[in-house]
Structure formats: C-alpha cells, structure tokens
Amino acid sequence: MSGGGLLSKLKNLDAYPKINEDFFTKTMSGGIITIASTVVMLLLFLSELRLYLRTNTLHELTVDTSRGETITIEVDVTFPRMPCAWLSLDTMDISGELHLDVDHDVYKQRLGSDNRPIKEAEKHDVTATKKETPPGPVGNATCGTCYGAEDTPTQCCNTCDEVRAAYRKKGWALGTVDHIEQCKHDSYLVAIHEQKGEGCKMWGKIEVNKVAGNFHFAPGRSYQQGSMHVHDIAPFGDTPMDFSHTINRLTFGKAYPGMKNPLDGLKVKQVVGAQGSSGMYQYFLKVVPTVYSYVDNRTIHTNQYSVTENFREAQGGAGRTLPGVFFFYDLSPIKVTVKETQSSFLHFLTSVCAIVGGVFTVSGIVDAFVYQSERLIRKKLELGKLS
C-alpha cells in the first residue's frame, strides 16, 4: 500500500471536517454569546481549581478500643479576685483518689487589682497533700503540744501543719489559729493575709489516666481523710470568695485543623453581695477520642469535648458547699477519625474537559437558535408578513 493511499484513508477518518473561511458568517449575537460563554467557562474553571486545591475532611465513627493510655489536659484560667495562696488545684479519678503518681507542670502567677502580674510565675504543687514544713519550727529540742489532739502522751506537734493534721485525725474542726503558738509564724497564713485582694492566673499541663474524673480549683489546702477529699477553708473564716474566672484555654490533647474548644475565652463574673453569693461552678465535659490523619499520612491522637454548665450556690451549715470551679470529665466510648482527602489530578482534568465541552456545546446550541430566529424574522420582514 502506497504512502499516499494511507494518508488518504487517514484523511477520511477525520471527525472534524474543516470549512472554508469564505463560508463563515459572523454575527453580533454570536460575538456576545462567545464572550458570555468564555466568562462562564472561566468562572467554572476557577471554581473547579479551588475545589481541587482544597483539602476535604471525612469523618468516621468507630468504637474506642484503646486501653492503659493517659490524657494531657492543658488548662489556663484567670481568677481576678482569688489570690494564689488561697487556691489549690487537685485532680481525681473516678475512684475518688488523688492522682499522686502522674506528671504535672502547672504554674501560677500573682495578679494585682488591675489584673497585671506583680510577681514571677512559680510552679504549683498539684499534689496538695504534700505540705512544706515552715522554716524554724517551734520546739526542735522540745515537744510541742497538739492542744488536746494527741493520740499518745508522747506525740509532738512542732509545726502548724502537724497541729492541723492531729485535729483532722480526731475529726475536730480547727477554727481560729490565733491561740496556737506553732501557727504564729506559719508562711501559709502569712501568704493568705498578704495576698488578700489580689488575683491569680494558673496554667499548665496535667497528665491523667484515661478514665472519668475531675480537676478543680478550690480554696484552701486539700487532704485525704479516709475516702473523702477535703479542703481546709478554716483559715479564711467567713471571708466572701469571688470565683469570677476567665477560661483562656482548655484542651484535652494536641490541636488539629478546625478543632474547636467550646470553653476557650469563656468569662464568668460572680455577683457577690446581698443578691448573690459564692458557689460551685460546675462544667460537665464529654471527652471524645479523636484521630486526625493528614494527606501525607501523619496522624494526631487527641481529644475534643462538649460541655454543659451549672452553678451550685453555696449553702451554709455543716454540709456547706465548697466554692470553686470544678471540671468533671467523662470519656466517650466512640472514637472519631478525621481523614483529609484531596481530589486526584485525573478527576480535575476530567471536570475541566467536561466544563469546556459542555459550555461549548450549549453555547453552540444557543447561538444556532438565535441565528435561525434572526433569519426567520428577517425573511418575514422582507415578505411583509410580520406586523
């Protein structure tokens, strides 16, 4: 078969026959339709390009089967009317026991009446049951009295903390400590009176077991009495406590794109006076384990949460409500997996071809309809049939 015959056969397969330019008829309506179709084509192309470049997320729900893990809680709370010496931060799990065996990195900073720092931040001991012995205890060489709370005749109470511990062991209430010699130079009581009228900012990280529990900001030193977690608020007497607070940040893990923490930036102002009183601010959190997977297969294991709020007004009497800010958290059995997805280039190319072909075809149909309508109207006008 000659080369010319092959080329002739290929020419017969041409599905796009060419028309001589002399047979083209260009109209004003065709130009307008061409400009409009070009604009539509460009807008659709830009929209498809934006969708191609955008990263989408896919959410999946599965049962959380992880065990023996821990959760890192990042907290940052400001108390404009509660001194640092008055506040303690404690964590408890569902059994009610203090978390004494986990790592904590919590700091607090004293604030003036204008909410400006007045002293450098210092590390806070979350395990508040471990108290420091004040320097220069009374009676190093002698045995200090426990003021009737001795278990044995030879028991000694040489510090203010030891006197408090003896009273707690007896189940007695230790009200005023003015008459107790060991408490006259107690650094804790000195700090309580010195910082009156100040504010406090507490922030840091708390690592807890992955079980339901709570952490709370409350006044006074805390201790364990049997199975009860108790705060000693006797040093404050009847002083009103203003637990107005601002939750600057509260998270249960690392942040991921699009993550929302509902308590971040929350401001609560307490009304103290004849019509208001201090009380317990309660936040009930439902923590949902979350895994975020990037397009490049990097993953973040974290947690998100929802919250409901409640205020419990302080009650007087023996069973009075402990004022403070309490966060009760519970773990959801459902785990959320968030995966980033992105359209393939082949899908993008197919969409672009569909846009070009579709707009070109539709504009051709519209142009043909307009052109034939113009011709029909023109002929009728020439024949005088169109009134």
Side-chain angles (χ1 to χ4, degrees), residues 308-344:
T308 55
E309 306 172 22
N310 181 54
F311 175 72
R312 184 178 175 186
E313 189 173 341
Q315 302 293 332
R320 61 180 299 186
T321 303
L322 177 68
V325 179
F326 288 70
F327 298 89
F328 302 90
Y329 58 89
D330 192 9
L331 278 298
S332 171
I334 302 298
K335 179 172 66 176
V336 177
T337 302
V338 184
K339 295 182 179 179
E340 287 186 348
T341 60
Q342 195 170 24
S343 300
S344 65

Side-chain angles (χ1 to χ4, degrees), residues 113-237:
S113 57
D114 56 356
N115 286 337
R116 293 184 179 181
I118 60 176
K119 195 174 181 181
E120 293 296 326
E122 60 183 13
K123 193 166 185 178
H124 172 66
D125 184 10
V126 180
T127 57
T129 53
K130 299 178 181 179
K131 303 181 179 62
E132 297 179 358
T133 302
V138 176
N140 279 331
T142 60
C143 180
T145 177
C146 294
Y147 298 87
E150 300 90 345
D151 283 337
T152 62
T154 58
Q155 182 178 351
C156 301
C157 295
N158 294 326
T159 65
C160 190
D161 285 338
E162 291 178 355
V163 176
R164 290 195 184 97
Y167 268 69
R168 286 198 302 268
K169 193 172 182 181
K170 288 286 188 179
W172 299 348
L174 181 62
T176 176
V177 294
D178 297 338
H179 65 285
I180 298 178
E181 185 67 26
Q182 291 91 324
C183 295
K184 289 185 177 180
H185 303 287
D186 184 60
S187 60
Y188 174 57
L189 296 178
V190 172
I192 288 178
H193 295 289
E194 181 184 277
Q195 298 181 21
K196 190 173 183 179
E198 295 181 359
C200 185
K201 179 181 180 181
M202 297 186 68
W203 74 94
K205 298 181 180 180
I206 311 170
E207 189 172 355
V208 297
N209 296 322
K210 194 175 180 179
V211 295
N214 77 81
F215 62 95
H216 53 267
F217 300 87
R221 286 177 169 174
S222 60
Y223 57 92
Q224 201 78 359
Q225 187 172 21
S227 60
M228 297 181 61
H229 180 66
V230 184
H231 282 257
D232 182 10
I233 59 175
F236 312 110

Side-chain angles (χ1 to χ4, degrees), residues 252-264:
F252 284 79
K254 297 180 180 179
Y256 64 85
M259 183 177 183
K260 294 182 179 180
N261 300 311
L263 287 179
D264 285 3

Side-chain angles (χ1 to χ4, degrees), residues 228-299:
M228 297 181 61
H229 180 66
V230 184
H231 282 257
D232 182 10
I233 59 175
F236 312 110
D238 295 328
T239 303
M241 298 182 183
D242 186 353
F243 267 94
S244 300
H245 58 278
T246 300
I247 303 176
N248 305 307
R249 177 178 172 82
L250 177 61
T251 66
F252 284 79
K254 297 180 180 179
Y256 64 85
M259 183 177 183
K260 294 182 179 180
N261 300 311
L263 287 179
D264 285 3
L266 177 67
K267 294 184 178 181
V268 177
K269 186 175 182 180
Q270 176 178 302
V271 179
V272 180
Q275 300 298 326
S277 63
S278 61
M280 178 188 295
Y281 292 91
Q282 299 173 318
Y283 297 94
F284 299 93
L285 312 173
K286 178 64 74 171
V287 181
V288 182
T290 304
V291 178
Y292 191 91
S293 299
Y294 290 92
V295 176
D296 56 3
N297 294 326
R298 291 183 295 118
T299 59

Side-chain angles (χ1 to χ4, degrees), residues 64-70 210:
D64 185 19
T65 58
S66 60
R67 295 184 300 172
E69 297 181 355
T70 58
K210 194 175 180 179

